[in-house]
Amino acid sequence: MPKLVDHELRRRAIAEALWRLADREGLDAINIRAVARESGWSTGVVAHYFADKDDLLAFAFELVGAGCAGRAERARDDAPDRRTALRAMLAEALPLDDRRRLEATIWFGFLVRAAAVPRMGEVVRRRYADWTAQLAAELAATGSPDPEGAARELIALVDGLALQALSSPEGMPPEAQERLVAGAVGRLARAIDD
Amino acid sequence: MPKLVDHELRRRAIAEALWRLADREGLDAINIRAVARESGWSTGVVAHYFADKDDLLAFAFELVGAGCAGRAERARDDAPDRRTALRAMLAEALPLDDRRRLEATIWFGFLVRAAAVPRMGEVVRRRYADWTAQLAAELAATGSPDPEGAARELIALVDGLALQALSSPEGMPPEAQERLVAGAVGRLARAIDD
């Protein structure tokens, strides 16, 4: 009888090792061998799931995006009104605590790498399209005249704030990030119930 | 008689070599030795001006910022009205052509590196403070109630758009970048003459 292997579980365990490594040593330290060592699997097992460093980073990037989208959905469901919902959804992509700071590190590290490796652009494009659709649905429900444009603007704003916060924490503290997002949401969602 | 050395000229020649190298081989290829080879100076001469790779990158980052600020000033002076001026100033930081794409590559490469190397944060903070002041002056002249907040929001928006455009050109083409910036300028500068 062949051994049963839970591939999804293995991929996740490998991803968690990658996560710990990125947190401790930065994105530059990520490669198949280092992730294998950290995860306790052999290089061969890791290489079975991921062809190279870029493949590993793309998987980590996708996980950050999916995690952020899931939390944004829950934040929306918990919010008392739509403006609060939008602010809470966007806050999931700001580096306001250690977990989100690590996520942002992986996110922007991947984006900068994708700028140099064209085949990665498609992973980025899809993730942003999904995120735009999620926010646009919420904005459409508020009666926004251009929900997609508003979603794209808010996403770019959040990315710009997050990147400044990561690279210059004193220049962009959490209060400033949240205040600027709240201002933009207020202007872009004028027709909102609250 | 001691030889006269034009230090500023040398630094610029080294910067131009760094620029060519970044364009051809990416930021990862930047180091003292490679820049020396590219510039035609000896490693010793380059090392006289720049202590290490981070020092070189900080210099390149400052040059991008200063070049962008100078062009923004000229664009402002040439614009027929303040709204056009703001759009033109911001467009200098969008990767709309090859030169600005290379500048953006250096810019974001440096920001992501600064996220991992805290002492670089101060270089980033100063550059963003200067850029904020430049835009805020223009916004203040339009009667904006919060010129600094508006400037910070526009800068973050432009950064977010630029980063998407670099990492996923098909997801964020030039027209989309310009349309989103124009929309934000329109909303943030309502009191404007035109």
Side-chain angles (χ1 to χ4, degrees):
Chain A
M1 206 176 100
K3 264 201 297 185
L4 287 173
V5 175
D6 185 333
H7 291 289
E8 192 43 39
L9 208 71
R10 277 198 179 176
R11 282 172 66 91
R12 294 226 147 234
I14 293 169
E16 278 164 28
L18 183 158
W19 220 266
R20 287 193 302 273
L21 200 59
D23 195 21
R24 217 171 52 227
E25 300 176 28
L27 273 201
D28 283 350
I30 303 291
N31 58 55
I32 299 278
R33 189 182 302 265
V35 169
R37 201 181 314 119
E38 177 75 25
S39 71
W41 298 100
S42 70
T43 302
V45 165
V46 175
H48 175 74
Y49 295 99
F50 301 99
D52 56 18
K53 172 177 180 151
D54 287 342
D55 218 24
L56 272 169
L57 290 177
F59 180 61
F61 176 80
E62 293 276 15
L63 276 185
V64 169
C68 183
R71 296 196 313 264
E73 205 165 307
R74 288 192 295 281
R76 182 198 62 202
D77 294 343
D78 292 346
D81 59 69
R82 291 199 193 279
R83 200 167 288 171
T84 311
L86 279 163
R87 285 202 300 258
M89 291 168 86
L90 292 163
E92 289 304 332
L94 292 171
L96 299 172
D97 55 28
D98 285 346
R99 183 190 54 188
R100 284 176 280 184
R101 206 168 300 119
L102 173 58
E103 289 184 345
T105 302
I106 291 171
W107 189 265
F108 294 113
F110 184 79
L111 288 189
V112 163
R113 208 171 155 84
V117 185
R119 74 176 166 88
M120 288 176 158
E122 183 52 23
V123 176
V124 174
R125 196 196 58 70
R126 248 185 299 132
R127 175 48 61 193
Y128 275 91
D130 287 352
W131 195 16
T132 301
Q134 190 187 28
L135 283 173
E138 193 60 21
L139 285 153
T142 72
S144 161
D146 176 16
E148 197 194 314
R152 284 164 77 93
E153 184 174 331
L154 288 170
I155 287 170
L157 171 67
V158 162
D159 272 354
L161 295 174
L163 190 53
Q164 268 187 68
L166 276 191
S167 55
S168 158
E170 290 181 18
M172 187 57 77
E175 317 80 77
Q177 299 172 54
E178 291 182 303
R179 193 178 59 243
L180 289 163
V181 166
V185 166
R187 265 188 312 281
L188 284 162
R190 275 176 191 279
I192 270 178
D193 60 325
D194 58 352
Chain B
M1 205 175 98
K3 265 200 297 184
L4 288 173
V5 175
D6 186 333
H7 291 290
E8 192 43 40
L9 208 72
R10 277 198 179 176
R11 282 172 67 91
R12 294 227 148 232
I14 293 168
E16 278 165 28
L18 184 158
W19 220 267
R20 288 193 301 274
L21 201 59
D23 194 22
R24 218 171 51 228
E25 299 177 30
L27 274 199
D28 284 349
I30 303 293
N31 58 55
I32 298 278
R33 189 181 300 267
V35 169
R37 202 181 311 117
E38 178 76 23
S39 70
W41 298 100
S42 70
T43 302
V45 166
V46 176
H48 174 74
Y49 295 99
F50 301 99
D52 56 19
K53 172 177 180 151
D54 288 341
D55 218 24
L56 272 169
L57 290 176
F59 181 61
F61 176 79
E62 293 276 14
L63 276 185
V64 168
C68 183
R71 296 196 314 264
E73 204 165 307
R74 289 192 295 281
R76 182 199 61 203
D77 295 343
D78 292 346
D81 59 68
R82 291 199 192 280
R83 201 168 288 172
T84 312
L86 280 163
R87 285 203 300 259
M89 292 169 84
L90 293 163
E92 289 303 332
L94 292 171
L96 300 172
D97 55 29
D98 286 345
R99 183 189 55 189
R100 284 176 280 185
R101 206 169 299 118
L102 173 57
E103 289 184 345
T105 303
I106 290 172
W107 189 265
F108 294 113
F110 184 80
L111 289 189
V112 163
R113 210 171 155 84
V117 185
R119 76 177 165 89
M120 289 176 157
E122 183 52 23
V123 177
V124 174
R125 197 197 56 72
R126 249 185 299 134
R127 175 48 61 193
Y128 276 90
D130 287 352
W131 196 15
T132 301
Q134 189 187 30
L135 283 173
E138 192 60 20
L139 285 153
T142 73
S144 161
D146 176 15
E148 197 195 314
R152 284 164 77 93
E153 183 174 334
L154 289 169
I155 287 170
L157 171 66
V158 162
D159 272 353
L161 295 174
L163 191 53
Q164 267 187 70
L166 276 191
S167 55
S168 158
E170 289 180 18
M172 186 57 76
E175 318 80 77
Q177 298 172 54
E178 292 183 302
R179 193 178 57 246
L180 289 162
V181 166
V185 166
R187 265 189 311 282
L188 283 164
R190 275 177 191 277
I192 270 180
D193 60 325
D194 59 353

